[in-house]
Amino acid sequence: MISGEHDGGHQDVVFPMRVASYNVHGFRDASGAWNLERTAAVIRELDAHVVGLQEVICLRDCPLNAQFGDPRSVLADLAALTGHHAITGINMATGRSPCCNALLMRELPRDVTAQDLSLPGREPREVVSAVLGTEEHWLRVATVHVGLGFAEREGQVRRLVELVEKWGSERTVVLGDFNEWNPLSRTARRMARDLGAPKSGRTFPARFPLLPLDRMGATPDLRLRNAHAHRSALARKASDHLPLVAEVAEV
């Protein structure tokens, strides 16, 4: 579930493709109750081909009667409940961070990578990405969870933009919790300019959403249509964030 190439059986990417970003808050709701099945039900509501997850799980978040020994087993359970394949990064594999990222994908990707975005003295952060499709028709999807500090957010978004540029001609969609509430900040403006991040719905706090902390971006050869917060009754209870959903289309 970490990195590498997967052989055979790949299908061409077909647009438009429905994608989502969801900070699942360790599968705990606002009251602190742990409920993996409820999170899975929200993800099924999204009906998304790819879901970028943040704050997936760690042993700290598991209830005392459900200590799994390896947090990846919890993600495997989530994948089984939603009918997706689960892709994780270095933080979950090594226990470097209490908040880990993952991708849920309906099809196995061709390639999976995880790059460190951590800044000195701050909590470990990473971007997990995977390439879907064939060599002729493909899409890279990445998920990220940016830090809370102003300088931390700015530095990590700058490194993320550099990474997307390094991928070059690859069509890329970025899904994440960017912890950025101010649409006029330098971080938000960089995301709009360099990651093509459209205006999207308010996602936090889930019960009475006031802040657009969760965002999406795409390279210039793609367009994100109808980006919006998924505001079902179940989503308002399952996490402290609402999921963000959009359609990816070719320009």
Side-chain angles (χ1 to χ4, degrees):
M1 299 173 82
I2 312 301
S3 64
E5 301 218 350
H6 302 271
D7 296 325
H10 301 296
Q11 301 177 3
D12 290 346
V13 169
V14 178
F15 296 105
M17 176 185 288
R18 189 171 175 87
V19 298
S21 183
Y22 193 14
N23 183 324
V24 296
H25 196 227
F27 309 114
R28 291 184 181 273
D29 61 22
S31 69
W34 194 89
N35 193 322
L36 182 70
E37 290 77 12
R38 183 167 55 190
T39 303
V42 174
I43 292 171
R44 290 195 298 269
E45 285 183 346
L46 303 177
D47 192 27
H49 198 98
V50 179
V51 185
L53 302 176
Q54 305 86 41
E55 293 193 26
V56 173
I57 195 65
C58 70
L59 295 182
R60 180 193 68 189
D61 291 316
C62 292
L64 293 178
N65 63 350
Q67 290 289 357
F68 291 93
D70 184 342
R72 286 173 291 178
S73 65
V74 182
L75 185 61
D77 290 342
L78 180 65
L81 288 167
T82 60
H84 288 76
H85 300 284
I87 307 298
T88 68
I90 51 179
N91 284 342
M92 183 174 287
T94 62
R96 295 175 65 233
S97 172
C99 296
C100 305
N101 301 331
L103 288 165
L104 292 180
M105 318 185 90
R106 285 183 178 167
E107 297 159 10
L108 279 173
R110 287 195 294 113
D111 182 65
V112 177
T113 60
Q115 278 90 13
D116 198 342
L117 295 181
S118 306
L119 297 177
R122 307 298 296 187
E123 184 180 5
R125 301 282 177 167
E126 65 180 346
V127 54
V128 180
S129 72
V131 178
L132 284 172
T134 65
E135 293 184 0
E136 291 77 26
H137 301 281
W138 44 262
L139 173 70
R140 181 183 290 274
V141 182
T143 188
V144 66
H145 188 186
V146 173
L148 290 170
F150 173 78
E152 183 181 16
R153 292 197 303 272
E154 188 175 6
Q156 289 170 350
V157 168
R158 181 175 64 251
R159 294 184 64 178
L160 176 62
V161 168
E162 292 170 353
L163 181 59
V164 172
E165 291 174 347
K166 185 181 298 184
W167 286 330
S169 61
E170 295 187 9
R171 296 180 291 186
T172 301
V173 172
V174 178
L175 313 168
D177 175 359
F178 286 87
N179 276 315
E180 182 55 72
W181 58 270
N182 182 1
L184 300 179
S185 71
R186 283 186 294 182
T187 299
R189 293 200 305 269
R190 179 185 289 272
M191 290 171 57
R193 182 185 68 241
D194 298 335
L195 293 179
K199 293 182 179 180
S200 54
R202 300 171 181 177
T203 56
F204 182 87
R207 289 185 182 272
F208 303 100
L210 299 173
L211 304 175
L213 299 187
D214 303 273
R215 298 170 189 252
M216 299 178 176
T219 46
D221 43 5
L222 298 171
R223 183 161 55 98
L224 291 168
R225 307 189 308 202
N226 191 30
H228 66 280
H230 177 75
R231 299 193 176 196
S232 72
L234 198 59
R236 290 179 183 272
K237 297 178 181 178
S239 172
D240 59 347
H241 286 242
L242 293 173
L244 190 64
V245 186
E247 300 285 337
V248 182
E250 291 181 292
V251 173

